Structure formats: structure tokens, C-alpha cells
Amino acid sequence: MTVTADLAISLDGCIAGTDVTLDNPGGNGAEPLFEWIHNLASWRERQGMTGGEENRDSELMREWFDATGAVVMGRTMYDTGESFWGENPPFRTPVFVLTHRPRPTLVKQGGTTFTFVTEGIHSALAQAREAAGDGNVDIAGGARTVRQYLREGLIDELQLHVVPALLGGGLRLFEGAGARRLAQIRVVDTPLATHLKYRLGK
């Protein structure tokens, strides 16, 4: 089992724009981070839609989807995504939400459940490992959640989809993430993004 983090990121290191709110989960100016994903066949399939482009970008997204057996995310990511995801969220796996506000487990369509974990990042990861079976555990975000797992040396592989855009401001992924050595696993360059995959040292 591998603990992963997989994120779209700008050339200046942002994974969201400025002024992220419940009504504006990507933040201001973040459109370039996500536009490339929306027409991929694998992404559309996960949203319950048909069509889309079958290309190398779509293959990489499908690879990640298929390998993930459980997900950990922060409460802000859950709160900003809850309405958008609706009754059939795209995860199709157990999701463990880090929070200080307890809430009963939610069972959604398509195999997604949301379990709210108040005991911290180690408890959430342990529960996710147990639930993932033979699949990986993905630390989905947001930035603060990924940083916490990076600082503790708990992420094994990091995949960044580097979009050819400068946001000029926004939510930066690596501020306060601590020092880590990375070993390059793979680089895939397409017109839409440069896909960088690393193994993280301790």
C-alpha cells in the first residue's frame, strides 16, 4: 500500500487561487489549474458524464483513480466540495475527513462514504489504510492537510500536474511543509500539463 498525494499546481506553486470560500472553492484566478481536467474522458466518467478525450492526460488520471482505495481530506476541502459533489461524489471509496466538529458518517451513492475523524492525522490515516484494502491511500487536500502529512513523513509518493500558468497569488502547497528529499519516478509532458511523480524520502 502506498500513501499518495496528487494535485494540480501552477508554475508558481499554487493549488488554489485567492479568497477561497464555500461559494468559491477554487479561489479567484484558479481556472487554469482545473480547465485541462474537465474534458478528459476519465474525469468525465467519474462525474457520471460521457464523452471526453482519451489521451495521455486521461490515462494518468484513470491510473490514479483506479489505484486509490481510500481518501483522506481536510474539513475545509469537504465543506467547499460538499454541495458540488452532490449525492454521487466522484471518489467511489471511503473518505476520511479531518475535523474538530464530529458528525455521523455519511453514506453516498457510488460507494463513497464520509467518515469524520476528530483524533488527528494519524488516526485518519490508520482508518484509511484499513479501509483501502489493496488500494492506495490518497491525501487529497487541501494544502494544510497535505503539509501536515508531509511534515510527518507519511506521504510515499507525490504526483504534481504542473499547469503552464502563473497565478501570481493564492494557496501555496509547500509553505511550511518541511524539508524532504524526492526521487523522481516519472515525467510525462503533454500540451496540457507536465506530470511529475516523485518518491519521498524521510
mmCIF file of all heavy atoms in Angstrom, residues 15-67:
data_model
loop_
_atom_site.group_PDB
_atom_site.id
_atom_site.type_symbol
_atom_site.label_atom_id
_atom_site.label_comp_id
_atom_site.label_asym_id
_atom_site.label_seq_id
_atom_site.Cartn_x
_atom_site.Cartn_y
_atom_site.Cartn_z
ATOM 1 N N ILE A 15 -2.045 25.778 -5.499
ATOM 2 C CA ILE A 15 -3.048 24.761 -5.808
ATOM 3 C C ILE A 15 -4.465 25.316 -5.727
ATOM 4 O O ILE A 15 -5.435 24.604 -5.948
ATOM 5 C CB ILE A 15 -2.907 23.522 -4.900
ATOM 6 C CG1 ILE A 15 -3.161 23.870 -3.436
ATOM 7 C CG2 ILE A 15 -1.547 22.874 -5.091
ATOM 8 C CD1 ILE A 15 -3.333 22.650 -2.546
ATOM 9 N N ALA A 16 -4.594 26.584 -5.406
ATOM 10 C CA ALA A 16 -5.873 27.298 -5.428
ATOM 11 C C ALA A 16 -5.558 28.778 -5.547
ATOM 12 O O ALA A 16 -4.425 29.213 -5.296
ATOM 13 C CB ALA A 16 -6.701 27.013 -4.176
ATOM 14 N N GLY A 17 -6.575 29.555 -5.913
ATOM 15 C CA GLY A 17 -6.397 30.990 -6.031
ATOM 16 C C GLY A 17 -6.569 31.693 -4.698
ATOM 17 O O GLY A 17 -6.503 31.078 -3.624
ATOM 18 N N THR A 18 -6.802 32.980 -4.750
ATOM 19 C CA THR A 18 -7.013 33.772 -3.540
ATOM 20 C C THR A 18 -8.474 33.727 -3.122
ATOM 21 O O THR A 18 -9.366 33.443 -3.920
ATOM 22 C CB THR A 18 -6.597 35.230 -3.786
ATOM 23 O OG1 THR A 18 -7.355 35.760 -4.892
ATOM 24 C CG2 THR A 18 -5.118 35.331 -4.119
ATOM 25 N N ASP A 19 -8.711 34.001 -1.848
ATOM 26 C CA ASP A 19 -10.072 34.154 -1.309
ATOM 27 C C ASP A 19 -10.924 32.908 -1.542
ATOM 28 O O ASP A 19 -12.039 32.982 -2.081
ATOM 29 C CB ASP A 19 -10.770 35.384 -1.911
ATOM 30 C CG ASP A 19 -10.016 36.674 -1.613
ATOM 31 O OD1 ASP A 19 -9.510 36.806 -0.487
ATOM 32 O OD2 ASP A 19 -9.928 37.532 -2.512
ATOM 33 N N VAL A 20 -10.418 31.765 -1.111
ATOM 34 C CA VAL A 20 -11.193 30.520 -1.175
ATOM 35 C C VAL A 20 -12.341 30.589 -0.170
ATOM 36 O O VAL A 20 -12.143 30.904 1.005
ATOM 37 C CB VAL A 20 -10.296 29.307 -0.862
ATOM 38 C CG1 VAL A 20 -11.123 28.040 -0.769
ATOM 39 C CG2 VAL A 20 -9.215 29.164 -1.919
ATOM 40 N N THR A 21 -13.551 30.321 -0.635
ATOM 41 C CA THR A 21 -14.730 30.309 0.225
ATOM 42 C C THR A 21 -15.604 29.123 -0.155
ATOM 43 O O THR A 21 -15.350 28.434 -1.150
ATOM 44 C CB THR A 21 -15.558 31.601 0.068
ATOM 45 O OG1 THR A 21 -16.089 31.658 -1.267
ATOM 46 C CG2 THR A 21 -14.708 32.840 0.328
ATOM 47 N N LEU A 22 -16.678 28.897 0.622
ATOM 48 C CA LEU A 22 -17.600 27.815 0.297
ATOM 49 C C LEU A 22 -18.221 28.010 -1.072
ATOM 50 O O LEU A 22 -18.495 27.046 -1.792
ATOM 51 C CB LEU A 22 -18.700 27.724 1.362
ATOM 52 C CG LEU A 22 -18.276 27.294 2.759
ATOM 53 C CD1 LEU A 22 -19.491 27.246 3.684
ATOM 54 C CD2 LEU A 22 -17.571 25.946 2.745
ATOM 55 N N ASP A 23 -18.459 29.268 -1.438
ATOM 56 C CA ASP A 23 -19.065 29.553 -2.738
ATOM 57 C C ASP A 23 -18.037 29.650 -3.859
ATOM 58 O O ASP A 23 -18.396 29.694 -5.034
ATOM 59 C CB ASP A 23 -19.853 30.872 -2.673
ATOM 60 C CG ASP A 23 -21.032 30.787 -1.714
ATOM 61 O OD1 ASP A 23 -21.637 29.700 -1.626
ATOM 62 O OD2 ASP A 23 -21.321 31.805 -1.051
ATOM 63 N N ASN A 24 -16.768 29.698 -3.504
ATOM 64 C CA ASN A 24 -15.693 29.861 -4.487
ATOM 65 C C ASN A 24 -14.540 28.937 -4.097
ATOM 66 O O ASN A 24 -13.459 29.383 -3.711
ATOM 67 C CB ASN A 24 -15.244 31.329 -4.510
ATOM 68 C CG ASN A 24 -14.239 31.610 -5.602
ATOM 69 O OD1 ASN A 24 -14.178 30.901 -6.611
ATOM 70 N ND2 ASN A 24 -13.437 32.647 -5.406
ATOM 71 N N PRO A 25 -14.750 27.598 -4.187
ATOM 72 C CA PRO A 25 -13.787 26.648 -3.614
ATOM 73 C C PRO A 25 -12.422 26.656 -4.273
ATOM 74 O O PRO A 25 -11.433 26.296 -3.639
ATOM 75 C CB PRO A 25 -14.479 25.290 -3.791
ATOM 76 C CG PRO A 25 -15.497 25.497 -4.865
ATOM 77 C CD PRO A 25 -15.947 26.925 -4.716
ATOM 78 N N GLY A 26 -12.337 27.046 -5.543
ATOM 79 C CA GLY A 26 -11.044 27.106 -6.206
ATOM 80 C C GLY A 26 -10.296 28.395 -5.957
ATOM 81 O O GLY A 26 -9.097 28.491 -6.215
ATOM 82 N N GLY A 27 -11.006 29.403 -5.453
ATOM 83 C CA GLY A 27 -10.408 30.709 -5.239
ATOM 84 C C GLY A 27 -10.377 31.528 -6.515
ATOM 85 O O GLY A 27 -10.564 31.026 -7.620
ATOM 86 N N ASN A 28 -10.109 32.795 -6.370
ATOM 87 C CA ASN A 28 -10.065 33.703 -7.517
ATOM 88 C C ASN A 28 -8.829 33.437 -8.367
ATOM 89 O O ASN A 28 -7.726 33.284 -7.854
ATOM 90 C CB ASN A 28 -10.050 35.150 -7.041
ATOM 91 C CG ASN A 28 -11.324 35.539 -6.318
ATOM 92 O OD1 ASN A 28 -12.395 34.990 -6.588
ATOM 93 N ND2 ASN A 28 -11.222 36.472 -5.387
ATOM 94 N N GLY A 29 -9.031 33.386 -9.672
ATOM 95 C CA GLY A 29 -7.920 33.230 -10.600
ATOM 96 C C GLY A 29 -7.426 31.820 -10.796
ATOM 97 O O GLY A 29 -6.410 31.599 -11.458
ATOM 98 N N ALA A 30 -8.131 30.822 -10.249
ATOM 99 C CA ALA A 30 -7.630 29.441 -10.271
ATOM 100 C C ALA A 30 -8.080 28.642 -11.487
ATOM 101 O O ALA A 30 -7.730 27.464 -11.601
ATOM 102 C CB ALA A 30 -8.080 28.714 -9.007
ATOM 103 N N GLU A 31 -8.834 29.252 -12.393
ATOM 104 C CA GLU A 31 -9.386 28.494 -13.522
ATOM 105 C C GLU A 31 -8.336 27.694 -14.292
ATOM 106 O O GLU A 31 -8.593 26.526 -14.650
ATOM 107 C CB GLU A 31 -10.136 29.426 -14.477
ATOM 108 C CG GLU A 31 -11.402 30.030 -13.912
ATOM 109 C CD GLU A 31 -11.149 31.232 -13.015
ATOM 110 O OE1 GLU A 31 -9.978 31.663 -12.904
ATOM 111 O OE2 GLU A 31 -12.126 31.742 -12.415
ATOM 112 N N PRO A 32 -7.133 28.227 -14.564
ATOM 113 C CA PRO A 32 -6.158 27.439 -15.341
ATOM 114 C C PRO A 32 -5.741 26.131 -14.671
ATOM 115 O O PRO A 32 -5.296 25.204 -15.349
ATOM 116 C CB PRO A 32 -4.962 28.398 -15.456
ATOM 117 C CG PRO A 32 -5.532 29.760 -15.291
ATOM 118 C CD PRO A 32 -6.656 29.598 -14.318
ATOM 119 N N LEU A 33 -5.868 26.059 -13.343
ATOM 120 C CA LEU A 33 -5.470 24.836 -12.642
ATOM 121 C C LEU A 33 -6.363 23.659 -12.986
ATOM 122 O O LEU A 33 -5.924 22.501 -12.906
ATOM 123 C CB LEU A 33 -5.509 25.063 -11.130
ATOM 124 C CG LEU A 33 -4.465 26.000 -10.530
ATOM 125 C CD1 LEU A 33 -4.711 26.150 -9.043
ATOM 126 C CD2 LEU A 33 -3.065 25.475 -10.796
ATOM 127 N N PHE A 34 -7.604 23.928 -13.339
ATOM 128 C CA PHE A 34 -8.581 22.853 -13.468
ATOM 129 C C PHE A 34 -9.194 22.724 -14.858
ATOM 130 O O PHE A 34 -9.813 21.700 -15.162
ATOM 131 C CB PHE A 34 -9.693 23.053 -12.427
ATOM 132 C CG PHE A 34 -9.161 23.292 -11.045
ATOM 133 C CD1 PHE A 34 -9.281 24.534 -10.438
ATOM 134 C CD2 PHE A 34 -8.510 22.278 -10.354
ATOM 135 C CE1 PHE A 34 -8.774 24.763 -9.165
ATOM 136 C CE2 PHE A 34 -8.002 22.491 -9.080
ATOM 137 C CZ PHE A 34 -8.137 23.736 -8.486
ATOM 138 N N GLU A 35 -9.033 23.735 -15.707
ATOM 139 C CA GLU A 35 -9.656 23.686 -17.031
ATOM 140 C C GLU A 35 -9.201 22.469 -17.834
ATOM 141 O O GLU A 35 -9.984 21.872 -18.571
ATOM 142 C CB GLU A 35 -9.330 24.966 -17.802
ATOM 143 C CG GLU A 35 -10.064 26.196 -17.300
ATOM 144 C CD GLU A 35 -9.558 27.479 -17.940
ATOM 145 O OE1 GLU A 35 -8.453 27.450 -18.535
ATOM 146 O OE2 GLU A 35 -10.251 28.511 -17.832
ATOM 147 N N TRP A 36 -7.943 22.089 -17.723
ATOM 148 C CA TRP A 36 -7.387 20.992 -18.518
ATOM 149 C C TRP A 36 -8.020 19.648 -18.166
ATOM 150 O O TRP A 36 -8.020 18.730 -18.976
ATOM 151 C CB TRP A 36 -5.876 20.929 -18.318
ATOM 152 C CG TRP A 36 -5.458 20.523 -16.932
ATOM 153 C CD1 TRP A 36 -5.369 21.331 -15.836
ATOM 154 C CD2 TRP A 36 -5.079 19.224 -16.502
ATOM 155 N NE1 TRP A 36 -4.966 20.618 -14.747
ATOM 156 C CE2 TRP A 36 -4.774 19.318 -15.132
ATOM 157 C CE3 TRP A 36 -4.981 17.982 -17.139
ATOM 158 C CZ2 TRP A 36 -4.377 18.220 -14.374
ATOM 159 C CZ3 TRP A 36 -4.566 16.889 -16.394
ATOM 160 C CH2 TRP A 36 -4.276 17.003 -15.028
ATOM 161 N N ILE A 37 -8.557 19.532 -16.965
ATOM 162 C CA ILE A 37 -9.110 18.256 -16.494
ATOM 163 C C ILE A 37 -10.509 18.009 -17.057
ATOM 164 O O ILE A 37 -10.902 16.861 -17.308
ATOM 165 C CB ILE A 37 -9.161 18.234 -14.955
ATOM 166 C CG1 ILE A 37 -7.749 18.388 -14.371
ATOM 167 C CG2 ILE A 37 -9.818 16.965 -14.438
ATOM 168 C CD1 ILE A 37 -7.727 18.536 -12.858
ATOM 169 N N HIS A 38 -11.272 19.065 -17.272
ATOM 170 C CA HIS A 38 -12.716 18.928 -17.445
ATOM 171 C C HIS A 38 -13.133 18.177 -18.692
ATOM 172 O O HIS A 38 -14.239 17.635 -18.747
ATOM 173 C CB HIS A 38 -13.373 20.316 -17.415
ATOM 174 C CG HIS A 38 -13.263 20.985 -16.091
ATOM 175 N ND1 HIS A 38 -13.437 22.343 -15.913
ATOM 176 C CD2 HIS A 38 -12.978 20.487 -14.857
ATOM 177 C CE1 HIS A 38 -13.276 22.644 -14.642
ATOM 178 N NE2 HIS A 38 -12.993 21.544 -13.983
ATOM 179 N N ASN A 39 -12.292 18.117 -19.718
ATOM 180 C CA ASN A 39 -12.678 17.399 -20.928
ATOM 181 C C ASN A 39 -11.997 16.034 -21.040
ATOM 182 O O ASN A 39 -12.096 15.382 -22.085
ATOM 183 C CB ASN A 39 -12.379 18.228 -22.183
ATOM 184 C CG ASN A 39 -13.201 17.761 -23.377
ATOM 185 O OD1 ASN A 39 -14.385 17.437 -23.240
ATOM 186 N ND2 ASN A 39 -12.586 17.707 -24.548
ATOM 187 N N LEU A 40 -11.344 15.582 -19.985
ATOM 188 C CA LEU A 40 -10.725 14.256 -20.022
ATOM 189 C C LEU A 40 -11.793 13.182 -19.823
ATOM 190 O O LEU A 40 -12.651 13.297 -18.948
ATOM 191 C CB LEU A 40 -9.661 14.132 -18.928
ATOM 192 C CG LEU A 40 -8.507 15.127 -18.961
ATOM 193 C CD1 LEU A 40 -7.525 14.824 -17.842
ATOM 194 C CD2 LEU A 40 -7.812 15.113 -20.321
ATOM 195 N N ALA A 41 -11.731 12.124 -20.614
ATOM 196 C CA ALA A 41 -12.741 11.071 -20.529
ATOM 197 C C ALA A 41 -12.784 10.453 -19.134
ATOM 198 O O ALA A 41 -13.867 10.163 -18.604
ATOM 199 C CB ALA A 41 -12.454 9.999 -21.579
ATOM 200 N N SER A 42 -11.619 10.230 -18.526
ATOM 201 C CA SER A 42 -11.588 9.597 -17.209
ATOM 202 C C SER A 42 -12.226 10.489 -16.147
ATOM 203 O O SER A 42 -12.934 10.002 -15.260
ATOM 204 C CB SER A 42 -10.153 9.253 -16.815
ATOM 205 O OG SER A 42 -9.319 10.396 -16.862
ATOM 206 N N TRP A 43 -11.994 11.799 -16.226
ATOM 207 C CA TRP A 43 -12.604 12.722 -15.263
ATOM 208 C C TRP A 43 -14.118 12.784 -15.464
ATOM 209 O O TRP A 43 -14.883 12.724 -14.499
ATOM 210 C CB TRP A 43 -11.995 14.108 -15.418
ATOM 211 C CG TRP A 43 -12.460 15.079 -14.369
ATOM 212 C CD1 TRP A 43 -11.913 15.319 -13.146
ATOM 213 C CD2 TRP A 43 -13.608 15.950 -14.463
ATOM 214 N NE1 TRP A 43 -12.628 16.269 -12.473
ATOM 215 C CE2 TRP A 43 -13.679 16.675 -13.257
ATOM 216 C CE3 TRP A 43 -14.578 16.185 -15.441
ATOM 217 C CZ2 TRP A 43 -14.667 17.626 -13.002
ATOM 218 C CZ3 TRP A 43 -15.563 17.123 -15.199
ATOM 219 C CH2 TRP A 43 -15.605 17.831 -13.997
ATOM 220 N N ARG A 44 -14.545 12.864 -16.727
ATOM 221 C CA ARG A 44 -15.977 12.945 -17.006
ATOM 222 C C ARG A 44 -16.698 11.670 -16.539
ATOM 223 O O ARG A 44 -17.809 11.735 -16.005
ATOM 224 C CB ARG A 44 -16.200 13.182 -18.505
ATOM 225 C CG ARG A 44 -15.742 14.557 -18.982
ATOM 226 C CD ARG A 44 -15.917 14.713 -20.484
ATOM 227 N NE ARG A 44 -17.313 14.630 -20.876
ATOM 228 C CZ ARG A 44 -18.160 15.658 -20.844
ATOM 229 N NH1 ARG A 44 -17.746 16.841 -20.431
ATOM 230 N NH2 ARG A 44 -19.411 15.508 -21.225
ATOM 231 N N GLU A 45 -16.048 10.547 -16.728
ATOM 232 C CA GLU A 45 -16.631 9.283 -16.274
ATOM 233 C C GLU A 45 -16.863 9.307 -14.775
ATOM 234 O O GLU A 45 -17.897 8.859 -14.281
ATOM 235 C CB GLU A 45 -15.684 8.147 -16.656
ATOM 236 C CG GLU A 45 -16.126 6.771 -16.221
ATOM 237 C CD GLU A 45 -15.074 5.735 -16.569
ATOM 238 O OE1 GLU A 45 -14.572 5.750 -17.715
ATOM 239 O OE2 GLU A 45 -14.731 4.921 -15.683
ATOM 240 N N ARG A 46 -15.908 9.847 -14.029
ATOM 241 C CA ARG A 46 -16.031 9.933 -12.575
ATOM 242 C C ARG A 46 -17.149 10.876 -12.141
ATOM 243 O O ARG A 46 -17.681 10.756 -11.042
ATOM 244 C CB ARG A 46 -14.711 10.405 -11.976
ATOM 245 C CG ARG A 46 -13.703 9.288 -11.824
ATOM 246 C CD ARG A 46 -13.991 8.503 -10.563
ATOM 247 N NE ARG A 46 -13.253 7.268 -10.518
ATOM 248 C CZ ARG A 46 -12.889 6.665 -9.405
ATOM 249 N NH1 ARG A 46 -13.190 7.193 -8.234
ATOM 250 N NH2 ARG A 46 -12.258 5.522 -9.436
ATOM 251 N N GLN A 47 -17.478 11.829 -12.974
ATOM 252 C CA GLN A 47 -18.564 12.764 -12.671
ATOM 253 C C GLN A 47 -19.913 12.252 -13.174
ATOM 254 O O GLN A 47 -20.908 12.967 -13.108
ATOM 255 C CB GLN A 47 -18.283 14.134 -13.303
ATOM 256 C CG GLN A 47 -16.897 14.677 -13.067
ATOM 257 C CD GLN A 47 -16.519 14.779 -11.612
ATOM 258 O OE1 GLN A 47 -17.317 15.244 -10.795
ATOM 259 N NE2 GLN A 47 -15.319 14.341 -11.261
ATOM 260 N N GLY A 48 -19.948 11.036 -13.709
ATOM 261 C CA GLY A 48 -21.188 10.475 -14.221
ATOM 262 C C GLY A 48 -21.553 10.972 -15.597
ATOM 263 O O GLY A 48 -22.712 10.860 -16.016
ATOM 264 N N MET A 49 -20.567 11.502 -16.344
ATOM 265 C CA MET A 49 -20.809 12.015 -17.678
ATOM 266 C C MET A 49 -20.168 11.094 -18.715
ATOM 267 O O MET A 49 -19.356 10.237 -18.385
ATOM 268 C CB MET A 49 -20.252 13.437 -17.816
ATOM 269 C CG MET A 49 -20.894 14.437 -16.877
ATOM 270 S SD MET A 49 -20.294 16.143 -17.125
ATOM 271 C CE MET A 49 -18.639 16.024 -16.454
ATOM 272 N N THR A 50 -20.532 11.283 -19.954
ATOM 273 C CA THR A 50 -19.956 10.501 -21.042
ATOM 274 C C THR A 50 -19.067 11.390 -21.899
ATOM 275 O O THR A 50 -19.029 12.613 -21.745
ATOM 276 C CB THR A 50 -21.051 9.883 -21.921
ATOM 277 O OG1 THR A 50 -21.871 10.941 -22.460
ATOM 278 C CG2 THR A 50 -21.935 8.938 -21.110
ATOM 279 N N GLY A 51 -18.365 10.758 -22.850
ATOM 280 C CA GLY A 51 -17.548 11.521 -23.792
ATOM 281 C C GLY A 51 -16.240 11.974 -23.176
ATOM 282 O O GLY A 51 -15.793 11.482 -22.143
ATOM 283 N N GLY A 52 -15.617 12.917 -23.849
ATOM 284 C CA GLY A 52 -14.335 13.430 -23.402
ATOM 285 C C GLY A 52 -13.179 12.844 -24.191
ATOM 286 O O GLY A 52 -13.342 11.917 -24.983
ATOM 287 N N GLU A 53 -12.012 13.390 -23.970
ATOM 288 C CA GLU A 53 -10.826 13.000 -24.724
ATOM 289 C C GLU A 53 -10.098 11.846 -24.047
ATOM 290 O O GLU A 53 -9.862 11.862 -22.845
ATOM 291 C CB GLU A 53 -9.875 14.188 -24.853
ATOM 292 C CG GLU A 53 -10.440 15.344 -25.659
ATOM 293 C CD GLU A 53 -9.438 16.473 -25.813
ATOM 294 O OE1 GLU A 53 -8.244 16.256 -25.490
ATOM 295 O OE2 GLU A 53 -9.843 17.559 -26.250
ATOM 296 N N GLU A 54 -9.764 10.839 -24.854
ATOM 297 C CA GLU A 54 -8.917 9.747 -24.389
ATOM 298 C C GLU A 54 -7.492 10.048 -24.847
ATOM 299 O O GLU A 54 -7.159 9.890 -26.011
ATOM 300 C CB GLU A 54 -9.399 8.409 -24.958
ATOM 301 C CG GLU A 54 -10.654 7.864 -24.317
ATOM 302 C CD GLU A 54 -10.427 7.329 -22.911
ATOM 303 O OE1 GLU A 54 -9.298 7.452 -22.388
ATOM 304 O OE2 GLU A 54 -11.383 6.794 -22.325
ATOM 305 N N ASN A 55 -6.675 10.536 -23.937
ATOM 306 C CA ASN A 55 -5.308 10.904 -24.261
ATOM 307 C C ASN A 55 -4.413 10.530 -23.083
ATOM 308 O O ASN A 55 -4.848 9.883 -22.131
ATOM 309 C CB ASN A 55 -5.205 12.399 -24.600
ATOM 310 C CG ASN A 55 -5.818 13.272 -23.518
ATOM 311 O OD1 ASN A 55 -5.904 12.873 -22.356
ATOM 312 N ND2 ASN A 55 -6.240 14.469 -23.879
ATOM 313 N N ARG A 56 -3.148 10.919 -23.130
ATOM 314 C CA ARG A 56 -2.215 10.545 -22.058
ATOM 315 C C ARG A 56 -2.621 11.163 -20.728
ATOM 316 O O ARG A 56 -2.491 10.527 -19.682
ATOM 317 C CB ARG A 56 -0.796 10.980 -22.441
ATOM 318 C CG ARG A 56 0.275 10.468 -21.485
ATOM 319 C CD ARG A 56 0.378 8.955 -21.528
ATOM 320 N NE ARG A 56 1.482 8.457 -20.712
ATOM 321 C CZ ARG A 56 1.343 7.592 -19.715
ATOM 322 N NH1 ARG A 56 0.143 7.119 -19.399
ATOM 323 N NH2 ARG A 56 2.395 7.174 -19.043
ATOM 324 N N ASP A 57 -3.128 12.373 -20.757
ATOM 325 C CA ASP A 57 -3.590 13.006 -19.520
ATOM 326 C C ASP A 57 -4.716 12.195 -18.897
ATOM 327 O O ASP A 57 -4.735 11.962 -17.683
ATOM 328 C CB ASP A 57 -4.071 14.429 -19.810
ATOM 329 C CG ASP A 57 -3.024 15.277 -20.490
ATOM 330 O OD1 ASP A 57 -2.147 15.817 -19.795
ATOM 331 O OD2 ASP A 57 -3.081 15.375 -21.734
ATOM 332 N N SER A 58 -5.655 11.761 -19.729
ATOM 333 C CA SER A 58 -6.779 10.965 -19.237
ATOM 334 C C SER A 58 -6.299 9.632 -18.678
ATOM 335 O O SER A 58 -6.806 9.153 -17.653
ATOM 336 C CB SER A 58 -7.794 10.738 -20.363
ATOM 337 O OG SER A 58 -8.932 10.061 -19.883
ATOM 338 N N GLU A 59 -5.325 9.023 -19.324
ATOM 339 C CA GLU A 59 -4.769 7.754 -18.827
ATOM 340 C C GLU A 59 -4.166 7.917 -17.440
ATOM 341 O O GLU A 59 -4.343 7.058 -16.566
ATOM 342 C CB GLU A 59 -3.695 7.239 -19.791
ATOM 343 C CG GLU A 59 -4.227 6.739 -21.122
ATOM 344 C CD GLU A 59 -3.093 6.418 -22.093
ATOM 345 O OE1 GLU A 59 -1.906 6.549 -21.694
ATOM 346 O OE2 GLU A 59 -3.386 6.041 -23.239
ATOM 347 N N LEU A 60 -3.437 9.014 -17.231
ATOM 348 C CA LEU A 60 -2.802 9.235 -15.937
ATOM 349 C C LEU A 60 -3.837 9.470 -14.844
ATOM 350 O O LEU A 60 -3.677 8.992 -13.711
ATOM 351 C CB LEU A 60 -1.845 10.426 -16.019
ATOM 352 C CG LEU A 60 -0.615 10.221 -16.896
ATOM 353 C CD1 LEU A 60 0.154 11.524 -17.053
ATOM 354 C CD2 LEU A 60 0.289 9.141 -16.314
ATOM 355 N N MET A 61 -4.897 10.194 -15.180
ATOM 356 C CA MET A 61 -5.960 10.401 -14.194
ATOM 357 C C MET A 61 -6.658 9.091 -13.864
ATOM 358 O O MET A 61 -6.938 8.798 -12.694
ATOM 359 C CB MET A 61 -6.967 11.431 -14.727
ATOM 360 C CG MET A 61 -6.411 12.825 -14.918
ATOM 361 S SD MET A 61 -5.823 13.592 -13.371
ATOM 362 C CE MET A 61 -7.399 13.901 -12.578
ATOM 363 N N ARG A 62 -6.917 8.285 -14.874
ATOM 364 C CA ARG A 62 -7.573 6.993 -14.634
ATOM 365 C C ARG A 62 -6.692 6.075 -13.788
ATOM 366 O O ARG A 62 -7.186 5.358 -12.910
ATOM 367 C CB ARG A 62 -7.937 6.322 -15.957
ATOM 368 C CG ARG A 62 -8.687 4.997 -15.784
ATOM 369 C CD ARG A 62 -9.169 4.418 -17.092
ATOM 370 N NE ARG A 62 -10.327 5.136 -17.608
ATOM 371 C CZ ARG A 62 -10.313 5.922 -18.669
ATOM 372 N NH1 ARG A 62 -9.183 6.099 -19.355
ATOM 373 N NH2 ARG A 62 -11.398 6.539 -19.072
ATOM 374 N N GLU A 63 -5.393 6.086 -14.059
ATOM 375 C CA GLU A 63 -4.449 5.291 -13.274
ATOM 376 C C GLU A 63 -4.559 5.648 -11.790
ATOM 377 O O GLU A 63 -4.582 4.767 -10.924
ATOM 378 C CB GLU A 63 -3.034 5.556 -13.783
ATOM 379 C CG GLU A 63 -1.925 4.921 -12.987
ATOM 380 C CD GLU A 63 -0.559 5.376 -13.475
ATOM 381 O OE1 GLU A 63 -0.011 4.712 -14.369
ATOM 382 O OE2 GLU A 63 -0.053 6.411 -12.966
ATOM 383 N N TRP A 64 -4.601 6.934 -11.511
ATOM 384 C CA TRP A 64 -4.712 7.404 -10.122
ATOM 385 C C TRP A 64 -6.062 7.004 -9.512
ATOM 386 O O TRP A 64 -6.114 6.473 -8.401
ATOM 387 C CB TRP A 64 -4.511 8.911 -10.092
ATOM 388 C CG TRP A 64 -4.831 9.596 -8.804
ATOM 389 C CD1 TRP A 64 -4.389 9.255 -7.559
ATOM 390 C CD2 TRP A 64 -5.669 10.738 -8.646
ATOM 391 N NE1 TRP A 64 -4.899 10.137 -6.620
ATOM 392 C CE2 TRP A 64 -5.678 11.054 -7.263
ATOM 393 C CE3 TRP A 64 -6.383 11.536 -9.533
ATOM 394 C CZ2 TRP A 64 -6.406 12.139 -6.756
ATOM 395 C CZ3 TRP A 64 -7.095 12.602 -9.023
ATOM 396 C CH2 TRP A 64 -7.108 12.890 -7.651
ATOM 397 N N PHE A 65 -7.143 7.248 -10.245
ATOM 398 C CA PHE A 65 -8.463 6.861 -9.749
ATOM 399 C C PHE A 65 -8.506 5.374 -9.399
ATOM 400 O O PHE A 65 -8.959 4.983 -8.318
ATOM 401 C CB PHE A 65 -9.546 7.149 -10.801
ATOM 402 C CG PHE A 65 -9.848 8.601 -11.032
ATOM 403 C CD1 PHE A 65 -10.215 9.046 -12.302
ATOM 404 C CD2 PHE A 65 -9.791 9.535 -10.017
ATOM 405 C CE1 PHE A 65 -10.517 10.376 -12.541
ATOM 406 C CE2 PHE A 65 -10.079 10.872 -10.233
ATOM 407 C CZ PHE A 65 -10.446 11.290 -11.500
ATOM 408 N N ASP A 66 -8.046 4.554 -10.323
ATOM 409 C CA ASP A 66 -8.166 3.103 -10.164
ATOM 410 C C ASP A 66 -7.300 2.569 -9.029
ATOM 411 O O ASP A 66 -7.625 1.537 -8.430
ATOM 412 C CB ASP A 66 -7.798 2.393 -11.471
ATOM 413 C CG ASP A 66 -8.821 2.623 -12.579
ATOM 414 O OD1 ASP A 66 -9.919 3.131 -12.275
ATOM 415 O OD2 ASP A 66 -8.513 2.303 -13.747
ATOM 416 N N ALA A 67 -6.185 3.245 -8.744
ATOM 417 C CA ALA A 67 -5.265 2.759 -7.707
ATOM 418 C C ALA A 67 -5.694 3.162 -6.298
ATOM 419 O O ALA A 67 -5.211 2.587 -5.318
ATOM 420 C CB ALA A 67 -3.854 3.280 -7.973
#
